[in-house]
Each structure stands twice: as C-alpha cells, then as structure tokens.
Amino acid sequence: MTADDTLANGFEGGCFCGDVTYQVVGPAMFAYHCHCSDCRRINGTAFHTGIAVKRDVFRHATGTLSAFQIEADSGNTITRWACPRCATSLWSITTADDTMMSIKAGTVTSIPHDQIHPTLQIFYQSRVPWADVPSDLTTYSRGMRGQTPITP
C-alpha cells in the first residue's frame, strides 16, 4: 500500500488559526479512513481520514502544541497533538508503531483536498451505517497489523 502520486513528494499543513504548521518532506505511506469509536468521537463525525507518514519525514514547523494521551480499545496508547489556540487536532502517534504517524487529512494546505484519495479503511466493524464510503477501498475489520483484508 502506497500513497498515490499526489502525496509522493510530501505536503504541508497546519491548524485552523495558522499558529501551528508542519511539513512532510518525503512520501506518504497511504491515506485511509478509520471507523473506530475513538476516532469518531475525537473528530465529532463518522470517521477519521488520515495520511500515514514515517516520522522521519515529518517536521513540526511553527507553533506551540498541546498533547494528550489515551488508551485505545487495542490497549495501545495514542498521543494526539492539537493547537491550543484553535483546538485543531493535527496528528497522532500510537505505541503500536511509533515509527509512523497519522496526519489529519483536513489539515493539509498544500494539496487540494479533492486530490487526496484514501486507499483503505480500518475498524470497519465499528462503522456507522449512515456514512457513505467508497466500496473499492481495501478494508480491515479492525486494525491492519497482522490482519487479512475483508470484503465489506
């Protein structure tokens, strides 16, 4: 699974008020939707859309951040970073694999959002039935690690 050409050369983004900015200076791994209850709740919507990147290509450019940790259903600890001024949630890292991170797709500023194409979805078993998601995505019932894709 790799990101399409749109995300191959990196991208930039930031929070709603502009205080916090970041750069991704290398290729993204993939874009995805997560349907877990934690992502739904933290985003206040049907699912989270993220862009997975290796931590070594990520640069926090400007601004002060707030962070909080929570234990996920999986038992892993997730650390989420946000702008303390406007409360935009920007990225997260999980103890399941601390070499990668998830950037909130809605915070990307250098690529039009209609050009970001998720290729997979996780925690499909937790999805809400009223959210429309393309049926051609690689789908995992729970997380990806050690799992086989399912047919929705």
Side-chain angles (χ1 to χ4, degrees), residues 39-96:
C39 282
R40 286 199 317 270
R41 195 163 181 197
I42 193 79
N43 289 295
T45 190
F47 51 85
H48 154 72
T49 302
I51 302 170
V53 302
K54 289 289 187 182
R55 282 179 70 179
D56 62 359
V57 300
F58 177 82
R59 308 286 183 269
H60 170 205
T62 64
T64 302
L65 296 163
S66 63
F68 75 98
Q69 293 182 324
I70 191 166
E71 185 176 319
D73 290 341
S74 64
N76 296 311
T77 299
I78 299 174
T79 304
R80 301 179 196 281
W81 281 268
C83 173
R85 181 172 173 223
C86 67
T88 300
S89 183
L90 294 151
W91 60 81
S92 61
I93 297 174
T94 175
T95 55

Side-chain angles (χ1 to χ4, degrees), residues 5-12 23-28 53 57 108 110-111:
D5 291 341
T6 305
L7 300 171
N9 297 314
F11 53 91
E12 297 177 350
Q23 299 171 324
V24 174
V25 297
V53 302
V57 300
V108 174
S110 63
I111 298 171

